[in-house]
Amino acid sequence: MRAAPLAEPSIAALDAAIESATEALVSRQNGDGHWVFALEADVTIPAEYILLMHYLDEIDFDLQESIARYIRKTQGQDGGWPLFHAGPFDISATVKAYYALKLAGDDIDAPHMARARQTILGAGGAARCNVFTRIALALFAQVPWRAVPVMPVEIMNLPKWFPFHLNKVSYWSRTVIVPLLVLMTLKPQARNPQKVSVAELFATPPFEETRYLHSPTRNFWASAFRWVDHVVRFAEPSFPKKGRQKAIERAMAFIQERVNGEDGLGAIFPAMANAVMAMELMGFAKDDPRLVTAKHALKKLIILDADGDSMVQPCVSPVWDTGLAGHAMLEVGDVRNGTASEAGKRAAAAASDWLASKQILDVIGDYDQSAPGIRPGGWAFQYANAHYPDVDDTAAVVMAIDRAGDPKHRENIERAVEWVIGMQSKNGGWGAFDADNEHYYLNYIPFADHGALLDPPTADVSARCISMLAQLGYKRGNPIVDKGVAYLWREQEPDGSWYGRWGTNYIYGTWSVLCALNAAGEDLASPGIRKSIDWLVAQQNTDGGWGEDGISYYDGHHGEGNGSTASQTAWAVLGLMAAGAVDHDAVERGIDYLLRTRPENGLWHEDTYTAVGFPRVFYLRYHGYRAYFPLMALARFRNLKTGNSKLVMHGM
């Protein structure tokens, strides 16, 4: 490492940047203390909203056109739609976008539609789409139901010991699958009032296509599950009616117990949309309060983007945004006095009070199936999702509340720690929503071609838990921490980085783990940490920043990206500082990048998707990341440079 003393003008520049960024972030805090920023996914979510309106024959034409404008402007140069900004064309997203625009009235000979169609056909046609897109097409009678795997509703009746059981898949899979089982069993047809077809997207007429379920995967489980699919498909017509009715009742009871009011089933769009279609199919009256509320929950996900067009969010992120913004405010509030410091302290205190009010203390969620007997005490990602608190949010929130230091929240912290400890998996790591969710053979069922059926332990979530425990005084020698740290070391990549399951990607994972190892008291001079520092330094771009995008989740693209971003530069700088490298010239250049790229309004510009729902399938752009992570990095750098210690004293 090479020390580079910070000149006084740089301190002045830091102060000005921190003041401006703090003012911008505080101005976006709601009156009750919470933050919520836009959460943007790919085009499939807004496209599915248009499809749902036509499925139900409940078309809001003004809204439809507003969503269609958003879809049109996100089309890629290659004619298709990507899964993340500037990413490669994705056939499933493109088919849904094309169908949505055609439903909205776009002429198929319009240049943007012709380019999309040519791109789809060039990739083999719509028959090559993933299972979820083919299910949507089957609901609109565009493909036969044999185009999708068999998923009979009798799955609801299977015993827990059975190789496939809903408790063995992730929370998001569970909430999406249950209403889908009703739809796939009863096979309704969309009302589709304008009878819009997309037959032109198929290389072979869709009802003549024979290779929908063909898979090139040569794997025992893949072959076994394809054989099971054939057997079940043959036997399904003879399934007893009594058992089917019982399974449907169980599915609808599952939905109703977790429908979550105006926040919706699982508080995620695909599950919420499937629940609405299932309720309609089961004869819920249009004015039934349960159905009315479920539809309203979907509409609440619609916001206007910067151009005034309608963007449909996959879910909302207030707890995550508030916890992370709170960390930035707390960092601003440390060490130095001044306007920004006082504003940060007040904002963090208000955020802590709001977060405390959102803790789930009285509902035992689905996690009880994998971690039985632990008292509830976690936080969900959204405003309300009581059956599905997540470990990552909980750990980040606890660290923020602990740093804020209000003694009235000690019980909140204690309950959360009890819950997080109870969620540790046998291998020492933590998953996001369940413990020991490692039934990997299920990723080979024909339905799971997206590869995102499970919720196994990951390095980034596990690191957050270790960071939380260490910040609260649990250090090496504690068996929980020791198991967790051992898991993190096992997960280190040969080049010194760590994989980022929920953030893009190795920069995110490496930052997360370095924070945890520092907080746990690991030797910062150890070869493993030095290797991670070398990796981060090697990834720095010539402009001083760091950047990585969704392509890095594909084999052969380790750490690749399309240029620097503010949030990922902040992660890299925060990771290096956690590893004791505050005086490294790479940190200085990263801070300089953040100072140079800061706009006058205090918020950085960032189009890149720097988060992920499901690698290679579903990516996310948190609009808040450009606000609170760079501020956190600048404030920490200033505090370490002007304070009495060069060591990071907090878990994040």
Side-chain angles (χ1 to χ4, degrees):
M1 300 179 195
R2 180 166 60 86
L6 191 65
E8 192 61 32
S10 295
I11 291 287
L14 275 170
D15 285 344
I18 291 167
E19 191 83 29
S20 173
T22 300
E23 182 179 341
L25 188 53
V26 169
S27 72
R28 285 160 174 77
Q29 188 175 27
N30 288 279
D32 60 3
H34 87 280
W35 281 270
V36 62
F37 289 88
L39 181 59
E40 188 173 6
D42 60 77
V43 74
T44 57
I45 301 297
E48 286 171 8
Y49 199 98
I50 290 178
L51 288 166
L52 180 63
M53 287 195 286
H54 286 260
Y55 177 92
L56 300 171
D57 191 11
E58 296 177 7
I59 306 167
D60 180 333
F61 289 97
D62 290 338
L63 175 60
Q64 176 176 263
E65 177 53 31
S66 184
I67 296 173
R69 288 196 300 270
Y70 173 85
I71 294 173
R72 292 183 199 112
K73 70 185 179 186
T74 56
Q75 187 174 19
Q77 292 296 315
D78 56 10
W81 277 263
L83 296 178
F84 53 88
H85 178 73
F89 141 81
D90 180 80
I91 189 169
S92 299
T94 302
V95 167
K96 282 187 177 178
Y98 180 98
Y99 201 173
L101 291 178
K102 189 173 181 182
L103 287 166
D106 285 21
D107 189 330
I108 65 169
D109 292 323
H112 67 288
M113 296 291 278
R115 287 192 299 118
R117 184 169 60 256
Q118 182 179 8
T119 302
I120 292 167
L121 291 172
R128 303 282 79 82
C129 288
N130 64 22
V131 166
F132 282 123
T133 301
R134 279 183 272 132
I135 290 171
L137 293 172
L139 287 168
F140 276 78
Q142 299 303 296
V143 298
W145 278 99
R146 61 177 172 79
V148 301
V150 177
M151 290 283 283
V153 73
E154 284 81 1
I155 285 173
M156 298 298 303
N157 295 334
L158 294 176
K160 291 181 181 179
W161 54 261
F162 202 76
F164 182 87
H165 191 275
L166 289 170
N167 290 337
K168 294 180 179 178
V169 300
S170 64
Y171 123 72
W172 57 84
S173 300
R174 207 174 303 142
T175 54
V176 168
I177 286 173
V178 171
L180 201 55
L181 293 176
V182 178
L183 296 170
M184 294 177 72
T185 297
L186 300 182
K187 300 177 175 56
Q189 185 170 328
R191 292 185 176 89
N192 192 7
Q194 298 163 0
K195 307 305 177 190
V196 176
S197 169
V198 286
E200 69 271 15
L201 298 183
F202 290 84
T204 300
F207 286 82
E208 297 176 16
E209 175 67 58
T210 60
R211 292 171 60 83
Y212 285 113
L213 301 180
H214 172 74
S215 172
T217 303
R218 293 186 177 182
N219 175 278
F220 168 79
W221 286 111
S223 299
F225 281 125
R226 283 198 297 274
W227 178 82
V228 170
D229 183 88
H230 291 313
V231 172
V232 174
R233 192 180 299 274
F234 175 79
E236 187 183 14
S238 61
F239 284 180
K241 292 182 179 179
K242 187 176 180 179
R244 172 150 293 184
Q245 184 58 37
K246 182 180 179 181
I248 291 173
E249 290 171 359
R250 284 182 171 174
M252 297 308 297
F254 177 98
I255 294 168
Q256 290 307 307
E257 181 183 348
R258 295 162 179 78
V259 76
N260 209 23
E262 290 193 352
D263 293 277
L265 177 63
I268 52 175
F269 179 92
M272 294 157 66
N274 288 346
V276 166
M277 289 187 284
M279 292 162 76
E280 281 265 339
L281 179 59
M282 296 311 298
F284 283 56
K286 294 283 188 185
D287 59 354
D288 188 309
R290 296 169 295 177
L291 182 55
V292 171
T293 300
K295 291 177 180 177
H296 183 61
L298 283 166
K299 202 157 192 176
K300 285 176 64 179
L301 294 175
I302 302 171
I303 59 173
L304 298 180
D305 68 6
D307 299 322
D309 300 325
S310 291
M311 180 175 80
V312 187
Q313 302 174 104
C315 62
V316 291
S317 54
V319 171
W320 188 239
D321 285 332
T322 302
L324 295 173
H327 278 282
M329 294 291 97
L330 288 159
E331 199 66 42
V332 169
D334 278 356
V335 181
R336 293 168 63 91
N337 295 317
T339 304
S341 177
E342 293 306 312
K345 290 175 182 176
R346 290 193 300 270
S352 294
D353 289 343
W354 183 84
L355 287 167
S357 74
K358 293 298 177 181
Q359 189 175 21
I360 302 163
L361 299 170
D362 56 357
V363 176
I364 297 175
D366 285 8
Y367 59 82
D368 185 63
Q369 299 298 317
S370 61
I374 59 174
R375 291 195 299 170
W379 275 265
F381 181 76
Q382 305 91 347
Y383 286 107
N385 195 12
H387 282 82
Y388 303 109
D390 79 271
V391 171
D392 207 5
D393 273 273
T394 300
V397 166
V398 166
M399 285 187 278
I401 292 177
D402 174 66
R403 281 189 67 181
D406 193 325
K408 69 185 177 186
H409 298 318
R410 294 314 304 174
E411 185 177 352
N412 299 96
I413 292 173
E414 290 168 4
R415 284 289 296 272
V417 169
E418 179 184 337
W419 184 74
V420 169
I421 289 174
M423 293 292 289
Q424 188 175 29
S425 294
K426 293 182 179 66
N427 67 2
W430 280 265
F433 298 91
D434 288 297
D436 299 303
N437 192 247
E438 297 184 274
H439 308 283
Y440 292 110
Y441 63 90
L442 291 178
N443 279 328
Y444 294 101
I445 67 173
F447 177 81
D449 65 347
H450 55 293
L453 203 66
L454 306 177
D455 178 23
T458 63
D460 47 346
V461 176
S462 302
R464 210 88 61 226
C465 296
I466 294 299
S467 289
M468 178 201 75
L469 292 169
Q471 181 174 307
L472 295 171
Y474 295 72
K475 299 291 186 179
R476 292 307 303 267
N478 179 288
I480 297 162
V481 174
D482 286 350
K483 283 180 63 179
V485 170
Y487 168 83
L488 293 177
W489 282 121
R490 291 197 305 272
E491 289 296 303
Q492 188 175 28
E493 301 285 332
D495 62 6
S497 64
W498 278 271
Y499 180 83
R501 165 61 181 85
W502 295 98
T504 308
N505 173 352
Y506 296 96
I507 298 171
Y508 181 89
T510 303
W511 156 65
S512 300
V513 174
L514 287 175
C515 287
L517 296 178
N518 169 66
E522 290 292 273
D523 181 4
L524 298 183
S526 68
I529 290 179
R530 293 301 297 266
K531 183 182 283 190
S532 69
I533 292 173
D534 291 343
W535 182 83
L536 278 173
V537 171
Q539 300 306 117
Q540 190 171 29
N541 296 322
T542 56
D543 61 6
W546 279 263
E548 188 177 356
D549 64 26
I551 200 69
S552 70
Y553 287 97
Y554 291 82
D555 292 341
H557 296 277
H558 190 109
E560 290 185 17
N562 284 318
S564 300
T565 71
S567 62
Q568 291 170 316
T569 299
W571 296 338
V573 167
L574 288 165
L576 289 170
M577 289 189 289
V582 65
D583 289 328
H584 199 294
D585 61 352
V587 174
E588 296 267 356
R589 290 188 289 117
I591 293 296
D592 180 66
Y593 170 84
L594 293 176
L595 292 174
R596 284 187 290 104
T597 58
R598 179 181 61 88
E600 291 183 2
N601 69 358
L603 297 179
W604 285 257
H605 180 75
E606 190 165 284
D607 289 327
T608 301
Y609 282 40
T610 60
V612 62
F614 316 130
R616 300 184 298 279
V617 178
F618 189 69
Y619 297 86
L620 296 168
R621 176 189 175 200
Y622 287 87
H623 287 227
Y625 278 14
R626 65 192 177 99
Y628 39 74
F629 280 121
L631 174 58
M632 191 188 308
L634 292 176
R636 177 159 296 170
F637 180 75
R638 182 190 68 181
N639 294 341
L640 292 175
K641 281 290 189 177
T642 60
N644 296 322
S645 173
K646 296 296 179 72
L647 295 177
V648 174
M649 305 303 293
H650 309 290
M652 284 187 71

